[in-house]
Amino acid sequence: AEYMGELTRDRMCSLVKKWQTLIECYVDVKTTDNYQLRVFIVCFTKRQPNQIKRHTYAKSSKIKAIRKVINATIIKECKECDMKELVNRLIPDSLSKDIAKVTKPIFPLENVFVRKVKVLKKPRFDLGKLMEVHGESSGAAGGGKAGTGEVLDRYEPPVQENV
């Protein structure tokens, strides 16, 4: 399996502390361009400003409710965009901020991160779509018929005399 952005080990270890609950969650989603992804989320419970208790442990029922809301949020965000848009949403952590905002009524969270994104299944390769994404004219690669996206089986590039 391939990984997209993965939280480094030292960053993950610096986040884990005593007296708080670590909540992990993963969701399988399918983008509009038929990529199947598994998105891993990690978050921690947050201490309130007027809190007297030393710890911020969440009950298991609250954790289940948080996971359910996280799953719904990620599915809603990911199923309406393609892979390129999803990567652009993951880079500035806007998805993490949305999750923290949505789960606040259940239990306040801090350090919400997309820990890892695993590519489970890629769509079939289509040269026409690739040219369309990169803005090239159809048939520029010479691999298939112009504009059809059809790929020939035994395409070899022309041999160059000088390198």
Side-chain angles (χ1 to χ4, degrees), residues 60-146:
S60 60
S61 60
K62 298 277 186 185
I63 293 172
K64 285 179 186 176
I66 287 171
R67 283 195 187 118
K68 192 174 181 181
V69 169
I70 288 173
N71 284 356
T73 306
I74 291 175
I75 289 171
K76 187 184 85 175
E77 289 289 324
C78 296
K79 76 175 183 181
E80 60 192 26
C81 64
D82 63 342
M83 185 69 144
K84 198 173 186 180
E85 289 176 39
L86 184 62
V87 170
N88 289 337
R89 283 186 187 181
L90 291 176
I91 291 171
D93 281 340
S94 64
L95 191 62
S96 302
K97 290 174 188 164
D98 291 344
I99 290 170
K101 194 185 299 178
V102 171
T103 57
K104 189 168 179 139
I106 301 167
F107 205 100
L109 299 177
E110 65 180 354
N111 296 330
V112 180
F113 292 105
V114 176
R115 185 172 63 95
K116 185 194 317 184
V117 178
K118 218 183 227 187
V119 179
L120 298 177
K121 195 173 179 184
K122 291 181 184 176
R124 291 193 52 174
F125 177 72
D126 188 6
L127 187 66
K129 277 193 176 181
L130 182 69
M131 291 301 146
E132 203 175 279
V133 168
H134 290 293
E136 307 247 342
S137 62
S138 59
K145 296 177 184 171

Side-chain angles (χ1 to χ4, degrees), residues 19 45-49 51-56 108 110:
W19 317 118
T45 54
K46 182 180 178 181
R47 193 175 173 84
Q48 295 294 78
Q51 183 172 326
I52 297 168
K53 278 192 291 186
R54 185 175 175 191
H55 61 79
T56 56
E110 65 180 354

